[in-house]
Amino acid sequence: MKTTEKEIVTLKRSLLIDTENKLNKQVEMEGKSSAYYLSMASWADMQGFTNSARFLYDHAEEERGHMLKLFRYINEAGGHAIQPEITSIRQHFNSLREVFELILEHEIEVTKSINTIVDHCFNVKDFATFSFMQWYVTEQREEETLARRALEIFDIIGEEGIGLWTIDQELGKLHATTEGQT
C-alpha cells in the first residue's frame, strides 16, 4: 500500500525537517527572550529597581530553561538543535513601565510562535511533539497573565511621588508569588 503522507517516525528520527526547523526557530526565540530579560534586569538594577531587577533576572533564567527544554527535545527526537546567535538586544529603556509593556508585547509574540508550532504538529499528525508543546501553551498563558498583572500594578498605583518605589515593591511580591511555578 503506497501512502502519499510523509512518514514522521523513521529509524533515525522522529521529527520532520519542517518541525525541526520550527522548533529551532523557537529555540532562538527563547534564547532571545532570555537575553532580553537579562538586559532589562541590568537596566532595572542600574536604575535602582532592585525588586524588578530580581524578577527580571529570574525570568531570564527561566527563559533559558525553556530554550534548553526545546533543545533537548529536538536532539532526543533525532533532530539537530542549533545554538542560536543572539544579537541586537536592546540595552536601554525609557522607563520601568516601558520595560513591562515590551515584556507583554514580546510574550504575545512568543505565544503566536508556540501556536504556529502546535498547529503545524497537529496538521502533520506529529502527536508526540504536539503533546510536548502543550506545556509551552500553558506556560505562555501564565507568562501573558503575569505581564498583564505587572502592567495593572502601574495603572493601580500610578507612577507619581513614591509610586515607582511602591510599584517596584509590588513587582517583587508578584515575583515571589510566581517562584517555582514553572
Side-chain angles (χ1 to χ4, degrees):
M1 176 178 184
K2 185 177 180 184
T3 178
T4 58
E5 292 183 33
K6 295 180 184 177
E7 276 196 49
I8 293 174
V9 179
T10 68
L11 292 175
K12 293 189 178 194
R13 63 174 28 244
S14 296
L15 284 178
L16 291 172
I17 298 296
D18 288 350
T19 305
E20 179 181 332
N21 290 338
K22 287 178 184 348
L23 291 173
N24 269 315
K25 284 185 190 228
Q26 192 62 39
V27 164
E28 180 179 7
M29 184 172 253
E30 299 293 341
K32 284 185 177 179
S33 294
S34 179
Y36 200 37
Y37 278 111
L38 190 59
S39 172
M40 291 172 165
S42 179
W43 178 88
D45 228 356
M46 291 182 62
Q47 302 302 312
F49 299 120
T50 56
N51 292 300
S52 298
R54 184 170 42 98
F55 173 90
L56 294 163
Y57 282 127
D58 288 349
H59 231 69
E61 190 64 30
E62 181 181 314
E63 295 298 330
R64 183 175 182 277
H66 297 173
M67 179 187 77
L68 289 173
K69 185 174 184 151
L70 282 163
F71 210 85
R72 289 181 186 114
Y73 180 83
I74 293 166
N75 287 336
E76 288 168 1
H80 181 199
I82 305 296
Q83 165 60 46
E85 184 175 328
I86 308 295
T87 59
S88 303
I89 300 298
R90 185 172 168 183
Q91 302 296 323
H92 301 283
F93 305 91
N94 296 314
S95 67
L96 189 59
R97 182 184 189 99
E98 179 189 35
V99 165
F100 284 90
E101 287 171 345
L102 290 170
I103 287 170
L104 178 57
E105 289 173 17
H106 179 74
E107 291 299 346
I108 289 169
E109 289 304 309
V110 173
T111 297
K112 289 177 184 177
S113 179
I114 296 292
N115 289 343
T116 298
I117 294 168
V118 170
D119 183 58
H120 164 80
C121 291
F122 185 79
N123 287 326
V124 299
K125 296 179 176 40
D126 180 353
F127 298 117
T129 305
F130 178 87
S131 178
F132 169 77
M133 292 302 297
Q134 296 311 300
W135 182 88
Y136 286 90
V137 171
T138 302
E139 176 66 15
Q140 278 311 116
R141 177 59 52 224
E142 292 170 6
E143 297 283 358
E144 284 184 39
T145 299
L146 185 60
R148 286 186 182 96
R149 180 65 186 127
L151 287 174
E152 287 171 358
I153 290 170
F154 283 87
D155 293 338
I156 291 167
I157 295 172
E159 298 174 59
E160 301 301 317
I162 64 165
L164 279 176
W165 181 85
T166 306
I167 288 168
D168 187 53
Q169 299 304 304
E170 291 301 315
L171 289 171
K173 292 176 190 172
L174 184 62
H175 163 79
T177 63
T178 62
E179 282 184 326
Q181 287 186 4
T182 55

